[in-house]
Structure formats: structure tokens, C-alpha cells
């Protein structure tokens, strides 16, 4: 191989890596990977949705099962070694059982660990039956007691003795799906009305903008309370979930619609749009094939930042008692269990466990949205 050939290969390799030859999506992906916090947040969000998808497999117990012998049972830790018969230490994953004691001064009962009671733990253990991915019947669970008849409360129990960890895992499915469904509704409504408003202008633009201003002028909490109060109490959980999702999405689409309108106003007289019209494309084809793809990366970044707002909105509604109601389990309904001071004092894990999950999820989604927004900025490359 000659020096000329080697130089040509090096030049070709450098030209492939040159940003000038990369498409907008490749540039966005390259810039996003440099955002370390957003990159880590992407893995965290992916793990959260993995938990939502395989909730029954990951939950150590049935989230609806009650236990009258363990109300407000404290979190139980995982231990690795047991005392052997010869006085040594044997490796065995286990949790220590709980026993109830009466505090005669405070006149209330509480639980303490019982070292004499060992509950062996293992992976891929048997438990309650369910359908994996709603299709495959099985009773295998990722982690839990090896004896299906025993219970371990890794994150504690609520007032009915229900496992908080299992309820948080199953609540992930509702809370995270509301964020996705709400964003999907905002995407369709916001891009459609915002695109029509910015592309056509005139009286159509004025009518849509006045509608947006009217919706944004209404106080959010009273609006949600009024709409939620109209939901009949005898509706099935699935229908209630659908209506709450629509309520959460009612305001979210207005911000995206205004952003889309502004982009359309700035792009509708560009040369590529005029050329598309002269080519005989209809208005819908110009919008769908040219205008929307020209700033699709910005829309994706905006929607990513909107997901945590949707989750917080659902959590707030459920916490206030005007959103999802039991037996539906979401992070908001779990926080509702910790509304009174006595419960927080006696069982702080009812607030700490779901609250920590919400904080981590919202931060991860915000960091992910920030990374996508920076990557979508054309002036950052």
C-alpha cells in the first residue's frame, strides 16, 4: 500500500466523521452522547419503563394482598450471613422476621426484628400467578422469599399490611403511561392546531390563539377539580384512567401549539416550502413532509420535557383526591396514604418511598429533556 493510498483512506475516514456530511438526526445523536448527565438519565428512564412493563415479574408480592397482622410493618433489610451450627457464618440471602411489641408508655404497638426467625430469599422464586406481558401465565418472580407463604416487606407496609415495594412497582405502570399517553395527546392536538394556525394565518390563526389564551387563563387546579368532579363514581377504572389522562392533557398541548405556530410562521415563506407548493403538493403534504420534519428534533425535546409535568399533574390530582382512586394504584394514590401527620410519624416510609421514586423519575426525565434540547440546537454543533 502506497503512501498516497494511506493518505486517501485517512482523508476518507475524516470526511465520514465530518459534521458537515452528517444528517440532522446523526448530528443530534452525536451531540446527545456528549451530554453525560442526559446519557445516564436515558438509562434510568429506560429502566423505569422496564419496571413498568415487567411489573408483576419484579414485584415480590401481590400489590392487592392485605395482611391484618402487619399494619405499618417497617422495612425489612436483606442480610447475607447466618450463624452456622459450628459457630461459623454461612452465606445465605435472608430477611429477619418481625415480632410485635407493645410500648406501654406510648400505648401503641410497634414491630422489631426477630433474629431467631430467618426468611430465606432467592432469585426467580415462586409466588402468586400472573400473565407475563399479559400473555404468558407463570408464577415466577425475580426476587423474594423462597417460601411463597412467607412475606417480606422491603419498603415496609401500609395500614392494611400491603407491600409498598410491590405497589410502587405496579404504580409505575399507571404513572409513567399517563405521561406517555398525555404527551401523545398533546403531540397530536398541539402540532395539528399549531400547524394550521401558523400555516394559514388570518382568522383561523386568531380563533386558535384566542382559544389557547382562554384555556391558559383558567386557573389549573380549579379547572382540574371541576372536570374531575364530573367523573361518575361508578365508572370502571379503565374509563376513569382515560378521562384523567385527557384532563391532564388539556393544558399541555397549548405550549406546544404556540411553539409549532411560531416555527410555521418563520418557515412558511422559505424557498423549500415555495418549491414544494410549485411542485403541486397539497397543503397537508407540505406540512407533513417538509415543515414538521424540519424541526422534529425540537418537538421531541419539548415532549420529553413535558412528560415529567404530566406525571406531576397526575400525582397532584390523585394526592388531592380528584384524580385516580383506589383500587387503581399510582404514585399519586400511594402518596395519598401519607396525608395525615400521625401516619407520617408512625410510618414515614409511606411518604419517603414513593416520594423518592417520583423525585428520581422527574429529575431523570428533565435531564434527558435538557440533553435532547441541547442536542437539537443547530447552533450547538
Amino acid at each position: 500500500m502506497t503512501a498516497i493510498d494511506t493518505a486517501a483512506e485517512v482523508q476518507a475516514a475524516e470526511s465520514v466523521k465530518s459534521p458537515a456530511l452528517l444528517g440532522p438526526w446523526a448530528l443530534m445523536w452525536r451531540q446527545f452522547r456528549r451530554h453525560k448527565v442526559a446519557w445516564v438519565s436515558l438509562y434510568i428512564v429506560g429502566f423505569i419503563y422496564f419496571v413498568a412493563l415487567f411489573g408483576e415479574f419484579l414485584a415480590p408480592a401481590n400489590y392487592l394482598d392485605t395482611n391484618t397482622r402487619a399494619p405499618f410493618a417497617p422495612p425489612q433489610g436483606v442480610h447475607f450471613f447466618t450463624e452456622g451450627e459450628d459457630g461459623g457464618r454461612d452465606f445465605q440471602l435472608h430477611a429477619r422476621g418481625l415480632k410485635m411489641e407493645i410500648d406501654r408508655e406510648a400505648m401503641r404497638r410497634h414491630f422489631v426484628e426477630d433474629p431467631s426467625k430467618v426468611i430465606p430469599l432467592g432469585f426467580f422464586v415462586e409466588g402468586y400467578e400472573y400473565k407475563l406481558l399479559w400473555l404468558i401465565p407463570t408464577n415466577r418472580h425475580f426476587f423474594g422469599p423462597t417460601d411463597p407463604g412467607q412475606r417480606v416487606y422491603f419498603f415496609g407496609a401500609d395500614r392494611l399490611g400491603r407491600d409498598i415495594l410491590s405497589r410502587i412497582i405496579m404504580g409505575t405502570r399507571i404513572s409513567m403511561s399517563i405521561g406517555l399517553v398525555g404527551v401523545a395527546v398533546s403531540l397530536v392536538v398541539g402540532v395539528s392546531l399549531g400547524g394550521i394556525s401558523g400555516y394559514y394565518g388570518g382568522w383561523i390563526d386568531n380563533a386558535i390563539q384566542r382559544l389557547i389564551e382562554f384555556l391558559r387563563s383558567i386557573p389549573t387546579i380549579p379547572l382540574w377539580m371541576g372536570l374531575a368532579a364530573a367523573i361518575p363514581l361508578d365508572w370502571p377504572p379503565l374509563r376513569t384512567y382515560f378521562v384523567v389522562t385527557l384532563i391532564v392533557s388539556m393544558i399541555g398541548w397549548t405550549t406546544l401549539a404556540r411553539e409549532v405556530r411560531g416555527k410555521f410562521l418563520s418557515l412558511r415563506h422559505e424557498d423549500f416550502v415555495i418549491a414544494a407548493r410549485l411542485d403541486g403538493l397539497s397543503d397537508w403534504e407540505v406540512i407533513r413532509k417538509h415543515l414538521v420534519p424540519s424541526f422534529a428534533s425540537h418537538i421531541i425535546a419539548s415532549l420529553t420535557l413535558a412528560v415529567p409535568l404530566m406525571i406531576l399533574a397526575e400525582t397532584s390530582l390523585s394526592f388531592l383526591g380528584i384524580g385516580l382512586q383506589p383500587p387503581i394504584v399510582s404514585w399519586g394514590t400511594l402518596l395519598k396514604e401519607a396525608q395525615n401527620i400521625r401516619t407520617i410519624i408512625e410510618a414515614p416510609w409511606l411518604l419517603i418511598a414513593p416520594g423518592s421514586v417520583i423525585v428520581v423519575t422527574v429529575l431523570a426525565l428533565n435531564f434527558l429533556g435538557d440533553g435532547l434540547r441541547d442536542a437539537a440546537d443547530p447552533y450547538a454543533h
Side-chain angles (χ1 to χ4, degrees), residues 251-300:
I251 305 299
W253 67 269
T254 56
T255 302
L256 180 60
R258 284 198 161 177
E259 293 176 354
V260 172
R261 172 184 178 268
K263 289 288 186 179
F264 274 44
L265 286 174
S266 63
L267 295 175
R268 64 180 180 175
H269 296 303
E270 292 289 333
D271 293 340
F272 72 94
V273 177
I274 296 174
R277 290 173 180 167
L278 294 175
D279 252 357
L281 295 181
S282 64
D283 292 341
W284 168 246
E285 290 175 324
V286 172
I287 293 174
R288 182 172 57 89
K289 295 182 179 180
H290 296 280
L291 287 175
V292 172
S294 65
F295 61 98
S297 56
H298 176 79
I299 293 177
I300 293 174

Side-chain angles (χ1 to χ4, degrees), residues 50-63 128-134 138-143 166 169-170 173:
F50 174 83
V51 171
L53 187 62
F54 295 95
E56 293 88 354
F57 172 67
L58 297 174
N62 190 332
Y63 71 101
Y128 71 95
E129 294 185 355
Y130 64 96
K131 288 188 177 181
L132 183 65
L133 296 177
W134 301 276
T138 181
N139 64 348
R140 290 291 172 178
H141 298 268
F142 177 69
F143 185 71
S166 300
I169 290 175
M170 298 306 299
R173 179 174 298 170

Side-chain angles (χ1 to χ4, degrees), residues 48-49 52 167-183 241 244-245 248 306-316 318 324 328-335 354 357-358 361-362 365:
I48 292 172
Y49 277 106
R167 292 176 68 78
I168 289 176
I169 290 175
M170 298 306 299
T172 303
R173 179 174 298 170
I174 298 295
S175 295
M176 296 302 290
S177 62
I178 275 187
L180 284 184
V181 175
V183 163
Y241 165 80
V244 170
T245 304
V248 171
V307 172
L309 297 178
M310 298 284 182
I311 294 173
L312 289 176
E314 179 275 324
T315 302
S316 302
S318 299
L324 298 174
I328 300 178
V329 178
S330 71
W331 294 340
T333 58
L334 291 176
L335 283 178
V357 172
I358 293 172
T361 302
V362 171
L365 285 167

Side-chain angles (χ1 to χ4, degrees), residues 12 14-23 26-27:
E14 291 178 351
S15 65
V16 170
K17 297 179 181 179
S18 175
L21 299 178
L22 294 176
L27 282 173

